Amino acid sequence: MPAPTDVPTDAPELTRSQLSGHLTVGNPKTAAAGLPAVASSLKHIYQRAGFGKGTKALLNLNQTGGFDCPSCAWPDPEDHRSSFEFCENGAKALASEATAKRATPAFFADHSLTDLAEMSDFELDQAGRLTQPMVLRSGSAHYQPLDWQDAFDLVARELNALGSPDGAVFYTSGRASNEAAFLYQLFVRDFGTNNLPDCSNMCHESSGLAMNTSVGVGKGTVTLRDLECADVIIIAGQNPGTNHPRMLSTLQKAVDGGTHIIAVNPLREAGLSGFMHPQHISGAMGKATALAKDFLPVKANGDMALFRGFAKALLEAGAQDEAFIAQHTTGFPAYKAQVESESWERIESLSGIAKSEIVRLAEIIAKRRKLITCWAMGLTQHHNAVATIREVIRLHLLIGAIGHEGAGLCPVRGHSNVQGDRTVGVFEKMPEWFHASLDREFSIKTPRAPGYDTVAAIQAMHEGKVGAFIALGGNFLQAAPDTAYTAEALRKCKLTVHIATKLNRSHLVHGTTALLLPCLGRSEADLRQDGEDQFVTVEDSMSVVHASHGVLAPASEHLLSETQIIAGMAAATLKHRSRIPYIELGQDYDLIRDHLSRIVPGMEDYNERVRQPSGFYMPNSARHLKWDTPEGRAVFHTDELTAFDPGADRLTLQTFRSHDQFNTTVYGPNDRYRGIGNERRVIFMNPDDVKARGLSPMQSVRITSHWNGVKREASPFVVIPYEMPRGCCAAYYPEASPLVPIDSMAALSHTPTSKSVAVTLQPV
Ligand SMILES: Nc1nc2c(c(=O)[nH]1)N[C@H]1C(S)=C(S)[C@@H](COP(=O)(O)OP(=O)(O)OC[C@H]3O[C@@H](n4cnc5c(=O)[nH]c(N)nc54)[C@H](O)[C@@H]3O)O[C@H]1N2
Ligand SMILES: Nc1nc2c(c(=O)[nH]1)N[C@H]1C(S)=C(S)[C@@H](COP(=O)(O)OP(=O)(O)OC[C@H]3O[C@@H](n4cnc5c(=O)[nH]c(N)nc54)[C@H](O)[C@@H]3O)O[C@H]1N2
Ligand SMILES: [Mo]
């Protein structure tokens, strides 16, 4: 792979964001939600969608018979939904989809590609919902409207002109429904490739891999009910107040019932400290429930050391569950020896947490064995992510904290249906049983060679091996690492296609020809050709599959559902080469669910069971103490203890989310809980690191990242002193994504190391 050169990689046309000049800095909050969250929800929804539509939208959000929230994947309570079962950030996601603004053909006639490239990501999103299929032809300065059939024929021509089906890449973002995702992967495999990278490759891939190889399932093993009755909940590398706000009401219930919460995070995030339930009088009045009893300010990537410390303390106290270990696991003696030979000095220095603290908390864990660990991107996006998560799993195996009520593993998923997309086949390397099932069901022969994951896809595009890039949702350019490198990669394609609801920067950094195919959002009514209303299904972070019924009027009469768009592309591309009736499947989702009920174990009688008000639960072998590993047991792997070392005089940068964004969609310029107003180009640093570098608060700096001898730069960012361990710093994604090296990936999972970037700073 040709290495990127040491040029300023933050090319202005790729980010278009400058300092606002209006930055305000206040004290970080010590509790999340409360009335400001209610006020913010209502403001977003009524300003963007209008009063009538906004009210209808909110009353149907996460209700039985309504639609699933398009924001995060946190589950809905089964028995006690309030009529406002949503959070501030769910309301923002919905407001963004239900906006009254439209990016019509007239908008594109008024704005050339060059004009659009001048806009910020926020402004692009503010253009509103896409209304018609649009094409950017080679040499043209504008996107122009075209008919749906012409769009499908264009895709078909380009795909069929490729030398090999492997010359096409089909990306998926985790918002696609089970029905759309299933039809998509069916088309892709029928066409002849497994090139199905998805956002999961950048997200929880490390969790799936660690769990599959240790306990034989790639998903969480707990339910909401388990969380409510756990003795101890560890929340590591996750910021629920912003990214999974509905989790806070579950945590509040747990705390009310006596659960001890331990937060593990370099930053004291507001949602970890306290919660003001906006639907309870005391919460709305500003009275917070304290959530985490203990807060461990771990060093960046110090988690593996911390969890090994817990294991060491438990072993030293003889607190392991010998019966569980003997009956259910393999590999324990080697792991035990490894832990015993690890020194406390090294554990303390890598984690940044004192032995006395680790031992004190290990005693609490040992006494009260119902342990659940929740984690997200703070654990998955590091070089040693798989080993770190396996260390978490080993702690659970050591004390038998899995497979019984109130105990287990809880990777908190991101996108609302990212888990379901995997279940139904969006994966570049699905297991053989899935291929065999597909082949049997449709009398086809799907290819078996693994396809490209996200990073491999970008590298292949860069090498000129990819002619067509198709995206089912998402914002590939801004979500991927190494923005400039990814932009070069996309520009080498002959065709780039985006199935999308709203305009984003990936639509402006395009192949020779580009298509925008506008689809219905999840909140919108989806009618069959016979006029009957139909619904889609999704799977939440705790493996509950349920229906989602759109209720709002579609943003434009020209929109098709994602499933119909996929069917149109498939039928035009494969014509008589395939016997699969794509158009029929795209019209009637019950037919797709019938196929799924015969293909995916656990989805039997799908159509019937998903019509039950709360849906149904997908089976989870580890939850029932069945170990679907080659060893037939839960596995203690021996992973060497490591922590990222950025090098002398460098800091470890993490790229994370503000309170005002959903991934690459920026809702606004504020980060209320961290006290930041009107600016996204900030870098949070320990005050002593600011001083030691001769910098001062509010000063503008250029950030340079260092990897394999290559430098990448992004500028300017304003220095904000903030409480965190020395050696760490943090900036928002996607502004800081140009700094994440394409070839810096987690071992085994290939997840870009968005939370472990070695950086230096220079004043500008
Ligand atoms: N409103 C909103 N909701 C969202 C999203 C959104 O953008 N906006 N995104 C969705 C998606 S796709 C996902 S994957 C999730 C993401 O949810 P999170 O994983 O919560 O997202 P991040 O903002 O990346 O936050 C990572 C957290 O980990 C901490 N952290 C960083 N490095 C380390 C480390 O080395 N160790 C430890 N222990 N902690 C560390 C950070 O300080 C931060 O609190 O949220 C989903 N929900
Ligand atoms: N530096 C850095 N990079 C990261 C991360 C990080 O923490 N740091 N996090 C990573 C993670 S966890 C993830 S999951 C990825 C996210 O990567 P993606 O999923 O690719 O990105 P999103 O920003 O969620 O995609 C937003 C776009 O989706 C489209 N969209 C919205 N709703 C719909 C819909 O219903 N249907 C369709 N077809 N399109 C729709 C809109 O056009 C919108 O602009 O980013 C990753 N990138
Ligand atoms: Mo994610």
Side-chain angles (χ1 to χ4, degrees), residues 199-200 202-204 377 381 413-415 418 657 662-663 733:
C199 67
S200 205
M202 299 179 265
C203 182
H204 265 294
M377 298 305 101
Q381 297 175 331
R413 305 302 299 247
H415 262 300
V418 61
R657 293 154 172 81
F662 188 90
N663 296 339
Y733 130 77

Side-chain angles (χ1 to χ4, degrees), residues 71-73 89-90 199 203-204 235-240 242-245 264-267 269 272 296 298-303 375-379 381-382 412-415 654-659 661-664 667 674 733 755:
S71 193
C72 77
N89 279 344
C199 67
C203 182
H204 265 294
I235 303 173
Q238 194 207 341
N239 179 18
T242 285
N243 297 317
H244 305 91
V264 181
N265 201 308
L267 274 68
E269 305 282 24
L272 297 172
L296 301 181
V298 70
K299 282 189 188 169
N301 196 223
D303 304 85
W375 73 89
M377 298 305 101
L379 259 53
Q381 297 175 331
H382 294 286
V412 183
R413 305 302 299 247
H415 262 300
Q654 63 150 318
T655 58
F656 66 173
R657 293 154 172 81
S658 82
H659 192 62
Q661 69 183 93
F662 188 90
N663 296 339
T664 69
Y667 302 135
R674 300 194 186 105
Y733 130 77
K755 301 282 192 278

Side-chain angles (χ1 to χ4, degrees), residues 36-376:
V38 177
S40 169
S41 320
L42 297 180
K43 182 178 127 204
H44 272 266
I45 196 94
Y46 291 133
Q47 272 182 1
R48 307 252 149 98
F51 189 74
K53 196 173 181 183
T55 306
K56 182 168 180 187
L58 288 180
L59 285 174
N60 278 282
L61 188 51
N62 288 335
Q63 298 302 315
T64 308
F67 53 89
D68 185 60
C69 180
S71 193
C72 77
W74 192 255
D76 307 314
E78 256 174 55
D79 44 353
H80 39 251
R81 290 180 205 202
S82 74
S83 55
F84 288 94
E85 192 58 47
F86 61 88
C87 70
E88 175 189 1
N89 279 344
K92 287 182 194 163
L94 183 57
S96 169
E97 183 169 299
T99 174
K101 296 200 182 126
R102 298 289 177 266
T104 60
F107 168 86
F108 286 101
D110 281 350
H111 297 87
S112 69
L113 256 275
T114 323
D115 296 339
L116 294 174
E118 289 287 323
M119 296 183 181
S120 69
D121 286 5
F122 176 72
E123 289 165 329
L124 289 177
D125 187 70
Q126 289 296 305
R129 290 286 299 275
L130 297 164
T131 61
Q132 266 177 254
M134 305 293 296
V135 62
L136 181 70
R137 296 191 196 279
S138 173
S140 168
H142 292 261
Y143 270 107
Q144 292 163 328
L146 84 171
D147 290 341
W148 277 108
Q149 196 53 51
D150 292 340
F152 296 147
D153 291 342
L154 199 161
V155 172
R157 252 195 329 274
E158 294 288 344
L159 287 180
N160 287 326
L162 295 170
S164 143
D166 291 329
V169 162
F170 299 84
Y171 174 70
T172 310
S173 161
R175 208 175 267 192
S177 65
N178 283 355
E179 290 74 10
F182 177 76
L183 198 68
Y184 190 59
Q185 64 80 36
L186 181 63
F187 160 47
V188 171
R189 296 193 160 108
D190 196 12
F191 174 65
T193 181
N194 284 310
N195 286 342
L196 283 158
D198 67 351
C199 67
S200 205
N201 296 147
M202 299 179 265
C203 182
H204 265 294
E205 197 69 61
S206 309
S207 308
L209 227 136
M211 291 189 63
N212 263 316
T213 52
S214 303
V215 294
V217 288
K219 313 174 179 184
T221 69
V222 299
T223 63
L224 276 187
R225 167 99 200 97
D226 288 320
L227 278 155
E228 287 169 17
C229 62
D231 290 332
V232 179
I233 300 176
I234 301 179
I235 303 173
Q238 194 207 341
N239 179 18
T242 285
N243 297 317
H244 305 91
R246 286 183 304 122
M247 181 174 175
L248 300 188
S249 29
T250 308
L251 295 179
Q252 182 180 23
K253 269 202 206 103
V255 167
D256 290 345
T259 306
H260 186 127
I261 298 180
I262 302 170
V264 181
N265 201 308
L267 274 68
R268 200 182 279 276
E269 305 282 24
L272 297 172
S273 314
F275 175 48
M276 296 176 275
H277 200 310
Q279 286 144 26
H280 293 175
I281 299 280
S282 59
M285 301 298 285
K287 186 165 178 306
T289 304
L291 292 181
K293 209 176 220 164
D294 283 288
F295 169 68
L296 301 181
V298 70
K299 282 189 188 169
N301 196 223
D303 304 85
M304 187 175 183
L306 173 68
F307 279 85
R308 188 150 292 187
F310 286 144
K312 192 170 172 70
L314 288 164
L315 283 171
E316 286 178 357
Q320 66 271 30
D321 184 338
E322 295 285 357
F324 180 91
I325 293 169
Q327 194 184 345
H328 293 289
T329 72
T330 176
F332 178 64
Y335 174 64
K336 181 166 179 263
Q338 192 182 33
V339 174
E340 284 169 350
S341 69
E342 197 60 68
S343 73
W344 276 112
E345 292 70 41
R346 187 149 180 266
I347 287 171
E348 286 187 317
S349 103
L350 295 185
S351 68
I353 308 295
K355 175 183 171 185
S356 54
E357 268 295 87
I358 299 177
V359 170
R360 178 178 70 81
L361 291 169
E363 277 167 9
I364 292 170
I365 293 170
K367 227 183 301 151
R368 313 182 60 190
R369 297 198 160 227
K370 291 199 289 181
L371 169 71
I372 292 178
T373 303
C374 303
W375 73 89

